[in-house]
Amino acid sequence: RYVLESHRLPVTCVAFHPVFTSLASGSEDYTIKIWDWELGELERTIKGHTKAVLDVDFGGPRGGTLLASCSSDLTIKLWDPSDEYKNIRTLPGHDDMVSSVRFIPSGAAGAPASGNLLVSASKDNSLKIWDVTTGYCVKTILGHVDWPRAVCPSHDGRYLLSTGSDKSVRLWDLAGGRDAECRLVMFGHENHNLCCAFAPATAAEFMATGSRDKQIRLWDGRGNCVKRRRRGMEGRG
């Protein structure tokens, strides 16, 4: 329908606004761009990061959608779409590049009670959970022995799925209060893992991961690989 061109270096991430016809993109050119995907037009360019933007996500409190971004400059930034994408907060705390950022949904019994939480993954081997209202890091999650490149919350906000350079896939339960409990550790990929996702409308029933080994693996809630697929091959895990 449209080809959206304006970034000067590779585009690393995109995210749709949950309500409006806005699309955010992040790039190695240090910028975030906001597009109207219905019209195919560039609305604005957001500058603030001093190195490559690695991920973006829309979310936050009900009635107050924010845009979060993370970067090789070690920071996470929050932007307010209702105020011309003003930078309302910068979250420092990671000791290396921040590769993934996601808002944590709320609503499940035992899950975080508000929509004010954000999770990030960094090359410093940690995941961090942030309160976007105060800007404070409320929890640091350790367990990966190498860079967790991606993190994804479940649709009810109770679980986190993380994966990365240590080839492990980890399922975290946030219902335990202050500490996140690692419920499952899954191995099977033969190279660095780059992305992960929960199946829609499930808590932790099915999960998918993608890796540099050219495989996508589908995992069940008990940690079993139920399917793996790569180009020219399909089989059981």
Side-chain angles (χ1 to χ4, degrees), residues 26-59:
S27 169
E28 292 180 7
D29 65 11
Y30 306 179
T31 72
I32 301 164
K33 291 183 183 285
I34 307 298
W35 312 81
D36 185 321
W37 57 262
E38 199 166 58
L39 300 176
E41 296 178 352
L42 176 64
E43 291 185 340
R44 69 179 66 243
T45 298
I46 303 172
K47 297 180 180 180
H49 285 293
T50 58
K51 290 187 177 180
V53 178
L54 301 180
D55 202 10
V56 289
D57 191 39
F58 282 105

Side-chain angles (χ1 to χ4, degrees), residues 184-197:
L184 292 172
V185 181
M186 297 159 276
F187 287 96
H189 285 293
E190 300 168 1
N191 207 325
H192 296 173
N193 300 348
L194 302 178
C195 55
C196 59

Side-chain angles (χ1 to χ4, degrees), residues 6-181:
S6 181
H7 284 294
R8 295 179 292 106
L9 289 173
V11 178
T12 57
C13 50
V14 291
F16 283 101
H17 191 285
V19 178
F20 304 122
T21 60
S22 296
L23 175 73
S25 60
S27 169
E28 292 180 7
D29 65 11
Y30 306 179
T31 72
I32 301 164
K33 291 183 183 285
I34 307 298
W35 312 81
D36 185 321
W37 57 262
E38 199 166 58
L39 300 176
E41 296 178 352
L42 176 64
E43 291 185 340
R44 69 179 66 243
T45 298
I46 303 172
K47 297 180 180 180
H49 285 293
T50 58
K51 290 187 177 180
V53 178
L54 301 180
D55 202 10
V56 289
D57 191 39
F58 282 105
R62 288 194 181 99
T65 299
L66 300 174
L67 174 65
S69 61
C70 62
S71 169
S72 296
D73 66 12
L74 283 58
T75 69
I76 300 159
K77 289 183 180 289
L78 299 175
W79 314 86
D80 186 357
S82 68
D83 190 12
E84 298 184 341
Y85 286 89
K86 178 182 177 181
N87 180 208
I88 59 171
R89 190 161 279 116
T90 297
L91 310 178
H94 280 296
D95 297 324
D96 210 322
M97 66 175 66
V98 188
S99 54
S100 183
V101 65
R102 289 289 183 272
F103 284 96
I104 299 176
S106 59
S114 72
N116 295 340
L117 298 181
L118 183 78
V119 62
S120 57
S122 168
K123 198 177 179 182
D124 66 12
N125 295 358
S126 75
L127 309 176
K128 288 183 181 289
I129 297 178
W130 309 82
D131 185 323
V132 300
T133 303
T134 63
Y136 293 134
C137 176
V138 298
K139 189 177 299 185
T140 298
I141 302 172
L142 300 175
H144 283 280
V145 296
D146 203 348
W147 182 6
R149 292 169 177 262
V151 63
C152 178
S154 62
H155 298 272
D156 61 7
R158 175 166 177 173
Y159 298 96
L160 295 176
L161 186 65
S162 60
T163 195
S165 294
D166 62 5
K167 305 177 189 175
S168 74
V169 184
R170 295 174 184 265
L171 179 69
W172 308 89
D173 189 343
L174 300 181
R178 185 170 181 82
D179 295 322
E181 179 184 356

